Every structure is written in structure tokens, then in C-alpha cells.
Amino acid sequence: MSTVSRKVSSPQWKNFQPPAVQDPAIVSYQRGPNLINSEMASSPTTQNNNQLFRETGHIEKLLHSYGFVQCCDREGRFFFHYSEFQGDIDTVKIGDAVEFQMSYDRRSGRPVACQMVKVDPSLVSCEVFSQERYIGSVVQEAKPAKPKNGSTVGSTDGLGRVTYEHNGEWFFLPYGLDDIVDNTGSTQIKPGDSVTFFIATDKRNGNLHARKLELEEPKLTKYQGVVCSMKDSFGFIERADVVKEIFFHYSEYMGNINELLLGDDIEFEIQTRNGKEVAVNITPLPAGTVIFEDISVERRKGKIMKTLKSNKRASDPLGGKIQYESAKGHTDILYGDKDQDGDYTLLQGDIIEFSIATDRRDKLQRATRIVLLNETFDKTTERRETGTVVSLKEGFGFIQCAERDARMFFHFSEILDPKAETKCQDEVEFTVTQDPTTPSRQVACRIRGIPKGSIGSVVVKPEKYIGTVEKEPCSSKSPNKMNGKDDAGSIVFDMDGAIHKICYYLKDVSDLRNLPRFGDKIDFNIGEQRRPGGPVRMAVNVRLVLRNLTGRCQGYIATLKDNYGFIENVDHDKEVFFHFSAFEGQATDLDLGDEVEYTLARKSSKLSAENIKKLTTGTIPANEELVDDIGIMQGKIVRPMRIVNPEQEEYCGLIQIGTDDDPDKQTYPYSITSLADKRDFLQKGDAVKFRVAANIVSGDRRAIHVAAVRQFIRAKVESVKDKYGFLNYEAEEGKKLFFHMTEVHGGIEVQPGDEVEFVVVQNQRNGKYSACSLRKITEKRRPERLLSRLKSMNEEMVGPRVVVTRPPKGPDGTKGFSQPRLPWAPPV
């Protein structure tokens, strides 16, 4: 940047002194010390010198027969008459350069200009330009000036400001629109633009001004980056200098855009367009030129604490977490979806090996080059299976399982060693998991090759054994399949005087039409298969010998959900799970309290009901009788049933008689069959009335005919939506009361406007209110919102109105049409 050769102070204007006698045709401003005063005017010597001295100036003002000229070499403004101009006065205009001689008016003694001639404008200047250009910045934009009547454009109207630095100080200079050098005709200087200019010093008063401004083209800095996204006609570049992406248009690429690919290294410049930074002048760089991070040579060992799939924030680029040992102790480090060597599934708790990558831009560290170690499978409880690759397609294949009769789909990305070439008949080890895209299908993941011959054929021993089915194997038709983990069945048998347990699979059953059930007697052989961890024994040739007829159970429907429910046993103390698919009929035919018959099966860690049949009411014999000496009793619920509070272990609820402080207080258990209304939602603290029944065999007593003592409320149905609705009643301020259609007695369908009676209950787990035990009272009526609207409307607002402005009159002055109308009779 150039510097200023000298520092000029701002001029100070002197006070204006009006003359003693004002001449309206002559106005002279005395602004500088060089102006000749009245004493000098009286000297004949001074007059002679002034007659010889010629000055230059510019026409400042033109009136009817006179004007004013502004001196160029000193501070002065003189009157002149058109008669003193030597030439055609009509050719003179404001701003023309002239030469004149100063004289004095004879009457007033004021200085005036005379003997005026027009000269070349290039020879006349009021300013002295600096020898070199300066570099500065525009801080205020110049605007078009508004000229005054009959005068030159004001020198202070619409001026802009430019600032520059000199010797550590910042100075501001004015400039106008006519000071901008516009070679193309489209130059626009705005605040913030860098410009070059000359400093012009006014010879009259020493004022400084910026002249001949030229817009300085900024020197664009070269940046590097990598193409990270490409669309139809634009893309984005990941910058190497900051952690940021920048937009670019295909037209800014200096080569063939069809050759530009994702991940290519490029060099570019940055310009600001429409207030946003964009990349321009893009050129390709050799591959590997742009480096974002430094990767450590040292390999570290750690454990997966959080996987990418478990991260709920999908927008987080580093969603995974690894914990490893460092000099500071346990240290956590993040990783992203591109930091794994391979695309196989990583699970929480996996033992992995990784390197640390440090970003050069923001020094952020993350784990990269992550590899799963084989010791993971030795230290975790992950269930691994073996099999043989039987089919390979483009990008995927199938594995024949050795432990079960199934073919598992797998994708090539799930092979732990991506460099290994997988071929048909290769023996592999894998984990079975649920397909995320198809919930009904299982797939193989985390596949690792094992030595040839590790999976040997099954050697079947000739001895036959008799056993009992303790757990049924999971089949594809079963709704409770355990995602490939616990799908094996188990058999309990006696061998050499000791009780043993052995597993079997569905493929090991000889007759699939007679599948063994829980408790059935079967015979089987023992087969041994060689595995990588040692030989494994299993039951083969499993055949049904005797059905467990005594295992047929009876009970009552206690709970019904969307696709499953629970059955209460005949002793009213336990419940068993069942799926609707196990019911032999339509699940919609089941209702609470229905009597059913079923068999027990163990397909997981818990028993479930299978082969469920609905029985006629009264089929199950009564095993209890009413205690006559005890009438209707009053009590309160101290423990609800498990269907109301699933967190409790006990199935039955308890009713207490007396207060908590009463030493003679008694409690009676109750179940779903005890309720007078099977849909009654009894919670802890509810008041009830009941009778007592005793078991015929054991004598145990329990509550029956249990009914809630509640206050019924009446309200109208506000709205109905599918299986639920809302009542025109507010248990909480501003909230209509919710109800479910299953709470309506008799299965009657209610609609908006119907009046019902109900009981308000509060769910003790979530604190929300709802209506239960709904009974319809009246038929369908208008909703309350429509009734209230009709009440607010009077008769005049309903329908069109007819107003008689002039009633009719008859010829005799009476009201017209008042006499009855007679039929017309033709004359005879």
C-alpha cells in the first residue's frame, strides 16, 4: 500500500464580515487571508500590480446580466458583469474555465473580475494531485447530488467516504460520483469495496479529496478440497482449510465436468454471490493431494459402547462410541459410518482394534480403521451357528445351517474378512439376527470362515431312548419365534440312572404330521456332530409314542389384547399366555370370562397355551360354593389384579374388610371370574361390595360377585373416532373425557349426541382420566354444540323472511281478500 507524503490539517473557515453598504448586484465572500482588504485597495501601487496579474477560475453562477467566478489558486469569489467577458456570453456555461483580472468597483470598492476570457479546461485546476495512487476501502457510498437553481452542483451533496491507513492512523476522504473512473460504464462501488485513488489537495484552502477512484479486483486465494456431493447441475466441496462445505456450479469447473467424480481432489477460489460464498475457477488435483487428517500408526484395542444403529440422532456424523485404555485411564472416542473396515454388523460389547485420526482443521480426534477381533466371540454370550455356503449370487448368498433345517440369507458385506474369497461349500460360522427390512425373515451376519471339515456329519448311535418333551422347538408358523436364539426344543430322559436333557430341532422329527407337544412321550436316537468347539450331542429320529392326554387344561379368558391374551386357570390363582393364532376359531368370538380348553406348551422360557377351544358356558364344573352365613360385604381394593398393574408378580387381587388399623381386618382374593362386570376396571383404593365363596376341596375362600361402589355420571357423547371417543365432560380442565368402545356395555355402538352414564377412573400409572362402564341411556340426538347453537338463534334468524309493505284493500275500503272466495259461475 502506498503512503501519503505529508499530513494536511483540515481548513478553518473565518467568520463572514458583511460590507458596510450592501449592493444587491454584488456579493463578495471573504474567506482567505489572501483577499485584498480596503487599505490595500486604496494604494495605487497595489492597483497597478493587480492590473498586471491574471488569475484563473471557474464560472460558478450565471444570472440575468452578471455572474460569479470562483478562483482556482486562492480563496476568492468575485462578481463579474457580462460586459467584461471578451467573447460571446451565450457560449458560457457554469463550470467553464476562465482567465480574468481582478479590479475594484468604483462605487463600493469591492473586488470584481474584469477582462474575462475563456481558456482550455485542462490548463485550469484548483487541486494538486498526489504523485502516486493510494489503496483504501469505501465506507460510505456516493449518491447523486441535487443541484441548486442557477448554481453548480454542490460540492458537499451526495458525497461518499473512503478510508485509508497512513503511519498507523486512519483517514477519511470524500469523493463524488464524478470521481469514479468508469471504463466499462457499469462500475459500481459499494461499502466494503477495495479501491485505488489519488489524493487531491485544494490550492485554495488545503482540503483533501479522493479523485479518480478505480475498483481494485481482489486477489483470489487458492483453496483445496474434495468433491463430496454432486447433483444435476451443481454440487458441494468439503474444504480442507475449515470444517465446512461450499457450493459450486458445474460451469465453474475448468475441465470436462463429465470426468469429475465424487471424492476427486480439486483446487478452487471463493467469491461472494448474493451474500453467500461459492467456489469458482475449479481445477482438478492429483489423487491424494488433499489430506484432511493424520492417522496414528499405533493400533489400540477397545470395546464398542454405542453403535451407530443405536444412536437416535441420525444427523450426528459421529454416532458411535468406543472405550479404550489410555494414560488417563478409561477414555471414550467417537467414530462414524466410514471408519469401519468393512460393512458388517457391529454390536455393543464387541472387542475391536482401531487407529486414532486427528483432523488437521479443528484437531478433533476419532477412531478409524475399526476391525472386529475374534476374541469377541470368546468373551461374549453371543450364540454362534455353523453352516455351509450352498449358493452365491451377485452380492448375496445362502448358507445351509448345520444345527437346523433352514437356509439363511447373507450379504457379502457381512463377511468379517473382506479380502477372503467366499466359495460354495465353504464352512462358515455366523450369527442369526432379524432382517431389519423384513421382520418375518432371519438373516446371517458377522460371518467368519472356519477350517474345512470342522462341520462333520452327524454320527447316529443305534440305541433308542424314551423321554418327555419339556420344550417344543420353535417353528416358522409359531408367532413366538425367538429370532434364531432359543428355537431348539428339549427332551428330558433317563440314562444310566441319571436324568439328562438333550436338545432337538424341528428337522429331527420323523413325522411332521404328528408333532410332539409339551409333556408327550417320545423315543429318539442320540447323534453326535463334530464342531469347532468340540462334539455336540442332539436328539434325532424323534417320534411320538404317547400323547399327554392328562395335560388338557381348562380355564377362563382373563385378558384380551390386540393379538394375544391370558387365560385364568380353574383354581383362579394363575394365568397363562396365549396368541390368537393358537385359538381354533375366530378370535373375535372370544370374550372376557369365556370358558376354554387348551394344552400347555413350552416354546421359550415360559409356558403358553396352545390348541385352544371355546367351551359352552357351564362346561367347567363348579369347585366352590357360596357361603350363606356371610351376606353382602363391603371392602376396598388393596391390591389390583395383574392385568391392571402388570408390574406386580401376584395374579390375584386382594379385597380388605375394615381399616388398616383394625386388628380384625380380613382380606379375600379375587380374579376375573369374581367380577360381576368383567370389564370393570378396579384399582387400588376403590370401594367394592361382594359375596364370599369357599372351595369345596380345600376350603379356601375368595370374593365373588365383586362390584364397584361408584357414583355414575351422565353426559353426552361429544365425538367418536374408530375404537374410542370423547364425552362432553371434563375431569381435567380443558380436556374432554376419553373412553374406549370396549367399555360400552352390551357392545352397543354409541354415536355423537347419545346420552350415557359412566364412571370416571384415573390410571394410577400415568395419572390420566378415562370413562369406564358406559351404559347408553337415550337414542341418538344432536350433539351438544349444535343444540347450543340452535338455542342462541331466534325465529327471525331461521329461513327467509317475507314482510308485507302495503296490505291489499277491496273496492269498498275493507281489507282485501277478507271475504271467502266463491267459485265463478258462468251466466245463463
Side-chain angles (χ1 to χ4, degrees), residues 400-450:
Q400 181 64 49
C401 300
E403 289 83 359
R404 49 176 150 171
D405 187 15
R407 280 161 53 102
M408 288 293 168
F409 170 88
F410 75 95
H411 199 275
F412 286 175
S413 60
E414 288 293 342
I415 299 176
L416 298 183
D417 187 3
K419 299 180 181 178
E421 183 180 357
T422 304
K423 297 174 293 185
C424 285
Q425 302 305 317
D426 282 354
E427 297 180 2
V428 292
E429 184 183 55
F430 58 91
T431 300
V432 177
T433 186
Q434 199 75 29
D435 189 349
T437 59
T438 309
S440 60
R441 185 175 70 165
Q442 293 175 333
V443 295
C445 65
R446 301 156 68 90
I447 303 169
R448 180 179 62 174
I450 56 178

Side-chain angles (χ1 to χ4, degrees), residues 24 39 157 288 307 429 549 664 824:
E39 295 180 357
D157 291 340
T307 63
E429 184 183 55
L549 300 178
D664 298 331
W824 177 77

Side-chain angles (χ1 to χ4, degrees), residues 247-467:
F247 170 89
F248 76 96
H249 195 271
Y250 286 174
S251 60
E252 296 293 341
Y253 185 66
M254 298 293 101
N256 186 359
I257 191 62
N258 296 324
E259 298 177 357
L260 187 65
L261 302 175
L262 286 176
D264 284 356
D265 296 346
I266 55 168
E267 189 176 51
F268 60 93
E269 298 170 351
I270 296 179
Q271 286 185 358
T272 301
R273 296 177 180 175
N274 297 328
K276 294 183 180 180
E277 291 184 339
V278 296
V280 297
N281 301 329
I282 304 170
T283 56
L285 292 175
T289 303
V290 181
I291 300 176
F292 291 105
E293 57 195 12
D294 299 317
I295 301 177
S296 64
V297 180
E298 180 185 3
R299 299 287 288 174
R300 296 179 180 268
K301 187 176 178 182
K303 179 189 292 187
I304 298 291
M305 303 303 295
K306 184 170 66 175
T307 63
L308 295 174
K309 293 182 179 180
S310 62
N311 182 30
K312 296 182 180 180
R313 295 177 56 188
S315 60
D316 192 354
L318 300 178
K321 183 189 293 186
I322 296 173
Q323 187 179 84
Y324 69 99
E325 288 290 339
S326 65
K328 299 179 181 179
H330 291 295
T331 305
D332 294 338
I333 189 169
L334 305 177
Y335 71 94
D337 56 350
K338 298 179 181 179
D339 295 319
Q340 180 182 340
D341 284 352
D343 296 327
Y344 50 83
T345 303
L346 286 177
L347 301 176
Q348 188 174 355
D350 284 350
I351 309 298
I352 49 93
E353 194 177 56
F354 66 96
S355 299
I356 296 179
T358 305
D359 198 307
R360 292 183 174 182
R361 299 168 291 182
D362 56 1
K363 306 304 178 184
L364 178 66
Q365 289 188 337
R366 75 174 199 280
T368 188
R369 297 179 182 176
I370 302 171
V371 177
L372 181 66
L373 299 180
N374 292 332
E375 61 182 279
T376 297
F377 307 112
D378 300 331
K379 294 185 178 181
T380 60
T381 58
E382 181 178 351
R383 187 177 185 275
R384 303 284 284 173
E385 295 190 27
T386 56
T388 305
V389 178
V390 294
S391 177
L392 291 175
K393 304 292 182 182
E394 186 176 353
F396 65 94
F398 292 89
I399 300 173
Q400 181 64 49
C401 300
E403 289 83 359
R404 49 176 150 171
D405 187 15
R407 280 161 53 102
M408 288 293 168
F409 170 88
F410 75 95
H411 199 275
F412 286 175
S413 60
E414 288 293 342
I415 299 176
L416 298 183
D417 187 3
K419 299 180 181 178
E421 183 180 357
T422 304
K423 297 174 293 185
C424 285
Q425 302 305 317
D426 282 354
E427 297 180 2
V428 292
E429 184 183 55
F430 58 91
T431 300
V432 177
T433 186
Q434 199 75 29
D435 189 349
T437 59
T438 309
S440 60
R441 185 175 70 165
Q442 293 175 333
V443 295
C445 65
R446 301 156 68 90
I447 303 169
R448 180 179 62 174
I450 56 178
K452 194 74 173 178
S454 299
I455 305 175
S457 58
V458 178
V459 179
V460 180
K461 294 184 179 180
E463 295 85 358
K464 280 283 186 182
Y465 295 90
I466 300 293

Side-chain angles (χ1 to χ4, degrees), residues 609-754:
E610 296 287 339
N611 305 320
I612 303 171
K613 295 180 181 179
K614 186 176 179 180
L615 301 177
T616 306
T617 303
T619 304
I620 301 177
N623 59 353
E624 58 187 11
E625 59 183 7
L626 188 66
V627 180
D628 296 329
D629 56 345
I630 300 179
I632 299 177
M633 306 186 68
Q634 300 283 341
K636 69 174 181 178
I637 304 295
V638 294
R639 185 184 72 196
M641 296 175 59
R642 187 157 57 192
I643 59 177
V644 177
N645 183 18
E647 297 179 358
Q648 69 183 31
E649 296 182 359
E650 299 84 357
Y651 166 68
C652 295
L654 279 181
I655 301 175
Q656 176 182 301
I657 299 176
T659 62
D660 296 337
D661 300 333
D662 191 353
D664 298 331
K665 64 181 180 181
Q666 294 180 343
T667 57
Y668 294 94
Y670 74 97
S671 63
I672 190 69
T673 55
S674 303
L675 300 179
D677 182 2
K678 301 297 188 296
R679 300 186 183 278
D680 217 346
F681 192 80
L682 297 179
Q683 299 184 102
K684 184 177 180 180
D686 287 350
V688 293
K689 58 182 180 179
F690 61 95
R691 299 289 300 272
V692 178
N695 190 287
I696 300 175
V697 179
S698 62
D700 295 335
R701 296 188 175 189
R702 75 184 189 105
I704 61 173
H705 303 164
V706 180
V709 180
R710 289 171 174 162
Q711 179 183 3
F712 280 85
I713 304 173
R714 290 192 177 189
K716 291 185 175 63
V717 178
E718 176 73 15
S719 61
V720 175
K721 299 179 181 179
D722 196 14
K723 295 183 179 180
Y724 63 92
F726 292 90
L727 301 176
N728 192 14
Y729 180 84
E730 295 182 1
E732 296 178 279
E733 184 177 359
K735 294 183 179 180
K736 301 296 183 181
L737 189 63
F738 170 87
F739 73 93
H740 199 274
M741 284 297 184
T742 56
E743 293 292 340
V744 181
H745 284 269
I748 300 174
E749 183 178 354
V750 295
Q751 297 182 2
D754 290 346

